[in-house]
Amino acid sequence: AKKVAEVAAESLLVAAIKKLEDELKSDTLAIDEINTSLHKFLGRNDITLERQEAGRYQLKRGGVIARNLSEGEKTAISLIYFFSKIQENDALIANQIIILDDPISSFDSNHLFNASSLIKKSSEGAKQLFLLTHNFWFFKQVRDWMIKKNGKDTDPDISNFYLVKQGVLADAGNSLTKFHSEYHYVFNTVLNYQDI
């Protein structure tokens, strides 16, 4: 009976070790994916995420602890981390509703394009995608992508673009959905004030 108990205990120990090794391997793969995405996004590979003891992680720049990250670097890291987290444990993107609130607030024009591309690629096939932004250039990128994706090239009036005015959600209107410059929207807003 003692021998049977020892064999059972050893079997449980082997299974626990295998489970931990498997988790560590998938964790390492996730870190590698995050680092690859981060390097592509930033256009350089000086910032990396490294696994530490006791399941912790550390951001390093040039091999030393990364300090004083710019707001753009922090936003890029959080956006990439967000998309890696929603895909873990073999989660199906088709079952997910994704809401991003101004994910580009601290980016320059190059990083705006990278963010647009990352969001487009990472949310492809999502059940629903809500993007909130104050940036017209980013809105235009998403608007054009959504119009093509939904096959509405011929009629941008049939869209799901909204605007919040004085706390009320309303259709975005032609000045935002049909034109490629925010000046049309500004002019339209001024014109509407004149008509009041």
Side-chain angles (χ1 to χ4, degrees):
K2 185 177 180 182
K3 194 74 164 164
V4 172
E6 288 176 358
V7 170
E10 185 177 331
S11 175
L12 287 173
L13 183 60
V14 168
I17 290 171
K18 182 174 181 351
K19 181 181 176 193
L20 287 172
E21 286 175 343
D22 290 343
E23 287 175 357
L24 184 59
K25 288 176 189 171
S26 66
D27 183 45
T28 302
L29 289 174
I31 290 173
D32 289 343
E33 287 177 21
I34 289 171
N35 283 330
T36 299
S37 295
L38 184 61
H39 298 161
K40 284 180 186 176
F41 191 98
L42 295 175
R44 59 185 200 278
N45 62 0
D46 62 330
I47 299 175
T48 56
L49 181 66
E50 293 182 7
R51 189 176 208 296
Q52 304 293 304
E53 293 178 17
R56 296 182 181 198
Y57 305 94
Q58 181 69 58
L59 281 169
K60 294 199 174 177
R61 185 192 311 264
V64 297
I65 294 173
R67 300 200 189 282
N68 302 321
L69 294 169
S70 72
E71 289 302 313
E73 290 168 337
K74 291 176 188 176
T75 303
I77 292 164
S78 62
L79 188 60
I80 290 165
Y81 182 73
F82 170 78
F83 279 115
S84 73
K85 288 300 282 181
I86 65 170
Q87 296 173 19
E88 69 182 10
N89 298 325
D90 298 322
L92 293 175
I93 196 82
N95 294 334
Q96 298 192 32
I97 297 172
I98 301 169
I99 302 170
L100 297 170
D101 184 7
D102 220 1
I104 48 82
S105 61
S106 56
F107 289 148
D108 60 20
S109 59
N110 289 333
H111 290 115
L112 282 172
F113 180 76
N114 292 346
S116 173
S117 179
L118 174 71
I119 292 167
K120 180 179 177 181
K121 178 183 161 214
S122 300
S123 64
E124 186 65 37
K127 190 173 194 174
Q128 270 188 307
L129 174 64
F130 294 90
L131 281 169
L132 311 170
T133 187
H134 296 98
N135 185 291
F136 182 80
W137 188 90
F138 183 67
F139 168 77
K140 187 173 83 77
Q141 291 289 310
V142 173
R143 178 199 67 193
D144 294 348
W145 162 47
M146 287 295 181
I147 288 170
K148 283 184 183 177
K149 179 182 185 287
N150 294 330
K152 297 176 181 173
D153 282 331
T154 56
D155 191 359
D157 288 335
I158 307 169
S159 64
N160 295 318
F161 301 107
Y162 303 99
L163 178 68
V164 177
K165 280 183 169 177
Q166 299 172 340
V168 177
L169 190 65
D171 285 332
N174 291 341
S175 62
L176 286 173
T177 59
K178 285 191 174 184
F179 298 102
H180 296 287
S181 165
E182 65 186 312
Y183 295 111
H184 288 90
Y185 172 71
V186 172
F187 180 77
N188 188 52
T189 302
V190 171
L191 191 61
N192 287 339
Y193 277 119
Q194 177 191 342
D195 294 340
I196 292 178

